[in-house]
Amino acid sequence: MPDDGSIGGVGCNSDNSLIGSSNGSDSNVPAANQLIPVSSEERITLVVDNTRFIVDPALFAAQPDTMLGRMFGSSLEHNFTRPNDRGEYEVAEGISATVFCAILEFYKTGAIRCPPSVSVPELREACDYLLIPFDSQTVKCHNLRGLLHELSNEGARQQFEKFLEEEVLPAMVASAQRGDRECHIVVLVDDDIVDWDEDYPPQMGEEYSQIIYSTAMYRFFKYIENRDVAKQVLKERGLKKIRLGIEGYPTYKEKVKRRPGGRAEVIYNYVQRPFIRMSWEKEEAKSRHVDFQCVKSKSITNLAAAAADGALEPPANIVGVVATVEAQPAVALEEDGAVGGMGASSPIVPPHPSQKETYPEVQLPPEDLP
């Protein structure tokens, strides 16, 4: 049963009602972030998290772009929202009553004050669900760190989408025009100079990398939270095998060392720069598949039949080697100082025993009496 108990919070009365009345001020000019009150005689009951909220639907009509504005902004007779058997509207499934009470304040004052018991990500998720803008003008929060983190995530998404369209996508198109189905992009700052020696290029495969000179993008990818946002955007755009991080990239040759035998070793100067790696290959599994020719197997699967035919008997020379090893005295084994009676420089792997070779009889020691 829905709870009729009151919920604390600005905008909710003792009976959980939010009506479009004035705020008691005699001024006709609304304050900043405050909406002009709207009032009507009609009331509707919203049920959120087993709690009833009696509201004025005219408040929602002032915000037609939000979900509640679309649900109750027009005439209820022609609205797709239908009440339950009690004439109440069950909305905002999954949102707590405390969060919903704070969100209702947006329709009265134009701002949301985040309750201390509500986390900023929870409030952000509720605002996204109800199509309420989440920005510094709309949300007022005591936890500035949490608020700025959510604002940075939104700003990072918008910024990376701009980077993707203007700088990253042209590099991906250049790789696709060469027939490649993946791309490795290194982001350098505007002042970086890449000067490789033609006779001694780097040996790490950097020649296949795409280079983007952008100090702004370098600063963007410096934060791991921004890299997580960028990875999510690339995943939403249908790309696969996405990797973002920081790696060393060779810029210019510092010196050349000569090794014994005349071999040259080149030392390059490396700088730590962000990289993006992604793939758009559709038949990834088939690219690694190899078709083998089907031939008749010559392997022996029936060991009993093979023993009867003598197929498992070792060659004569191998049997002779076994006999020679067994004929060596125990004193020679101790003098060689190696396991198996042979020197450490020439180990011998004993062959598999023949089926005609009898197993030696081993005398087990008697059990010790208690």
Side-chain angles (χ1 to χ4, degrees):
M1 296 294 293
D3 184 14
D4 292 332
S6 63
I7 295 179
V10 180
C12 294
N13 299 334
S14 59
D15 58 348
N16 293 340
S17 63
L18 178 66
I19 59 176
S21 60
S22 63
N23 59 356
S25 175
D26 296 335
S27 176
N28 294 327
V29 180
N33 298 332
Q34 184 174 344
L35 300 179
I36 300 176
V38 182
S39 177
S40 67
E41 298 297 331
E42 189 177 8
R43 297 290 183 268
I44 59 175
T45 301
L46 305 181
V47 180
V48 178
D49 192 21
N50 293 328
T51 305
R52 290 188 180 92
F53 294 87
I54 303 174
V55 298
D56 184 355
L59 290 174
F60 301 141
Q63 300 290 340
D65 294 334
T66 64
M67 178 179 290
L68 295 178
R70 297 175 181 178
M71 294 173 63
F72 304 103
S74 59
S75 177
L76 295 179
E77 297 179 358
H78 305 285
N79 201 298
F80 64 90
T81 307
R82 294 290 179 264
N84 56 18
D85 297 337
R86 298 183 179 183
E88 302 168 341
Y89 296 89
E90 299 178 1
V91 297
E93 183 179 359
I95 298 178
S96 66
T98 304
V99 174
F100 188 76
C101 184
I103 287 178
L104 287 179
E105 184 184 359
F106 167 77
Y107 293 95
K108 184 178 180 180
T109 65
I112 302 174
R113 297 191 179 276
C114 182
S117 60
V118 176
S119 65
V120 180
E122 182 181 0
L123 181 61
R124 170 63 186 271
E125 184 177 354
C127 289
D128 292 343
Y129 178 80
L130 296 173
L131 304 179
I132 295 177
F134 189 94
D135 51 41
S136 60
Q137 302 297 325
T138 303
V139 180
K140 306 298 179 182
C141 184
H142 179 74
N143 184 5
L144 294 181
R145 177 175 176 269
L147 176 61
L148 294 175
H149 176 75
E150 294 297 331
L151 296 178
S152 294
N153 286 344
E154 182 63 26
R157 171 178 287 271
Q158 297 176 2
Q159 183 63 56
F160 179 72
E161 288 178 350
K162 182 179 179 181
F163 286 147
L164 180 61
E165 296 296 333
E166 297 179 358
E167 302 186 53
V168 178
L169 184 58
M172 298 169 59
V173 171
S175 298
Q177 290 176 346
R178 294 196 303 264
D180 297 336
R181 301 187 181 272
E182 58 185 1
C183 186
H184 183 94
I185 300 175
V186 179
V187 181
L188 303 179
V189 299
D190 297 332
D191 297 335
D192 284 338
I193 299 177
V194 178
D195 185 16
W196 293 351
D197 194 315
E198 296 181 358
D199 298 330
Y200 304 101
Q203 301 298 321
M204 300 299 292
E206 284 85 356
E207 63 272 14
Y208 300 106
S209 302
Q210 298 281 353
I211 300 178
I212 295 178
Y213 290 93
S214 175
T215 304
M217 193 183 302
Y218 162 77
R219 295 184 66 254
F220 176 86
F221 283 119
K222 181 175 63 175
Y223 304 101
I224 187 173
E225 292 91 347
N226 290 352
R227 298 200 293 267
D228 292 339
V229 172
K231 185 175 182 179
Q232 182 64 31
V233 172
L234 293 175
K235 188 180 299 184
E236 294 173 357
R237 302 292 289 268
L239 298 174
K240 302 184 303 181
K241 296 193 297 184
I242 305 169
R243 290 186 57 194
L244 294 96
I246 306 294
E247 67 179 0
Y249 189 79
T251 53
Y252 58 88
K253 181 183 66 176
E254 288 187 341
K255 57 183 177 179
V256 179
K257 287 185 177 181
R258 293 291 178 179
R259 293 296 184 184
R263 185 173 62 89
E265 180 181 356
V266 184
I267 299 178
Y268 274 83
N269 176 69
Y270 280 76
V271 292
Q272 297 296 318
R273 294 294 181 262
F275 74 91
I276 313 173
R277 184 178 303 166
M278 75 285 288
S279 171
W280 52 90
E281 184 179 8
K282 296 183 64 177
E283 304 293 341
E284 178 183 355
K286 293 184 178 180
S287 297
R288 296 194 302 265
H289 178 70
V290 180
D291 292 328
F292 295 94
Q293 182 180 4
C294 296
V295 296
K296 183 178 180 180
S297 175
K298 297 182 180 180
S299 60
I300 300 174
T301 58
N302 192 340
L303 297 180
D309 296 339
L312 297 181
E313 293 186 9
N317 57 346
I318 298 182
V319 178
V321 173
V322 177
T324 304
V325 174
E326 293 178 352
Q328 293 179 354
V331 179
L333 300 179
E334 297 177 358
E335 293 178 354
D336 291 337
V339 179
M342 302 301 294
S345 60
S346 58
I348 292 181
V349 179
H352 293 286
S354 171
Q355 276 207 339
K356 296 181 180 180
E357 182 180 351
T358 59
Y359 289 93
E361 296 182 0
V362 180
Q363 298 294 333
L364 300 177
E367 297 182 356
D368 295 337
L369 297 178

